[in-house]
Amino acid sequence: MSKDSFAQSAAYLKQAVPLMIKYQIPTTPANYTLWYSYVSASMPELNHAIDQAIKLQGTCSLTTCERLFHQHLAAQDEQQIETMKLSLAAMASELGHTMQDALSDTGAFQTMLDRSFERLSQIDDEGLSLEDTMGILRDLVRESRDVRMSTMHFRSQLSNAEKEIKELREMLNETRKLANEDALTGLLNRRAFGLELDSLIRSRHPFSLILADIDRFKSFNDEYGHLLGDQVLRAFSQRMRECCRDGVTAYRLGGEEFALLLPGRNLSLSRQMAESLRRAIEKMSILDRKSGKRIDHITSSFGVSEFNGQETGDTLVERTDKLLYKAKELGRNRVMPLAL
């Protein structure tokens, strides 16, 4: 690295660290890489995404950092390195033994070549017979064939290793995805919700929480079976996903329970979104493939709260959950609190 490059890298690092401290970003290698790339302005799309997150959330949350790192950086660098580490332990022993065998065969062949050429050089000096000469050549052909087979085997092992690395890379990506995503719906899961909520609480930036629950969901499973229940969950999740604009994020907390985190939104705007979502759910129509019947009486209930700037994440969830259950008690298919 040239002196100029080193100086530039040091300058970027001096800019990145204070930003990480300001936004309470954990000092992990992945986050260093993310914020170093941010201050270097080498990836405009990444900078735009981080700027949007800061604008809406007042920070760049842990899950946002993780998501942006994997979207913009890990696919190019970190994922390949991690995959190589994973594959190394599995393949090192086998490849090591194969390489050792190949090198041993190659060494033996080199010794045999030296010996054979020494003998062939005696043709002029000692006048080797045709039979002796042909014997030397036959030995050369046999030994070269063995080395060729050994080399082909080693090449085959390397090819298999390359395929295994590719498979491991795909498995790694899938495992990383499953860590934060709900398998059935594709929404973010409870783990991701907890991380994002904690980050928003620490930032003290305004935001609101919506908790949603599908009304009488158990009856769908009891009457139509779990396959239709899964269809209902996926259709509900799609409606939730359609709300995810301008920093809004949807989560499946488990069963028929869902959540939306709305950075920068007050209670009034969040309640309007919940009401729009409730109406969209009310219009859903799902075909039961087993009976041929169309199910169109799906409804949902909502609780909406705005962060008061002081409470903990658990307190906010508990307060919002009480509003959700109040909506259930009042007859379901409604948003609480009621509009002012």
Side-chain angles (χ1 to χ4, degrees), residues 12-23 25 27 32 35-36 39:
Y12 287 151
L13 192 60
K14 288 179 180 178
Q15 294 177 56
V17 172
L19 282 175
M20 294 174 70
I21 294 173
K22 176 181 178 181
Y23 296 118
I25 308 298
T27 53
Y32 271 128
W35 287 87
Y36 180 96
V39 298

Side-chain angles (χ1 to χ4, degrees), residues 266-283:
N266 60 23
L267 179 63
S268 177
L269 290 174
S270 300
R271 196 199 173 285
Q272 290 176 28
M273 177 175 287
E275 180 61 29
S276 297
L277 181 55
R278 184 195 67 79
R279 293 175 182 173
I281 299 298
E282 203 174 29
K283 295 176 182 176

Side-chain angles (χ1 to χ4, degrees), residues 213-233 236 256 281-282 284-288 290-291 293-300 328 332:
D213 190 281
I214 302 174
D215 295 331
R216 298 186 175 89
F217 179 73
K218 187 175 182 297
S219 66
F220 288 107
N221 285 333
D222 293 343
E223 186 175 351
Y224 300 103
H226 289 283
L227 289 179
L228 182 75
D230 288 348
Q231 282 184 257
V232 172
L233 290 171
F236 187 93
E256 66 273 28
I281 299 298
E282 203 174 29
M284 283 196 323
S285 180
I286 297 175
L287 178 65
D288 178 17
K290 186 176 180 180
S291 66
K293 294 181 180 179
R294 187 162 288 280
I295 314 302
D296 55 7
H297 52 277
I298 302 167
T299 62
S300 51
K328 297 276 190 183
R332 298 181 173 83

Side-chain angles (χ1 to χ4, degrees), residues 57-72:
Q57 304 172 11
T59 184
C60 191
S61 67
L62 297 179
T63 51
T64 300
C65 284
E66 184 176 326
R67 175 174 55 82
L68 293 178
F69 176 78
H70 294 315
Q71 281 181 355
H72 297 275

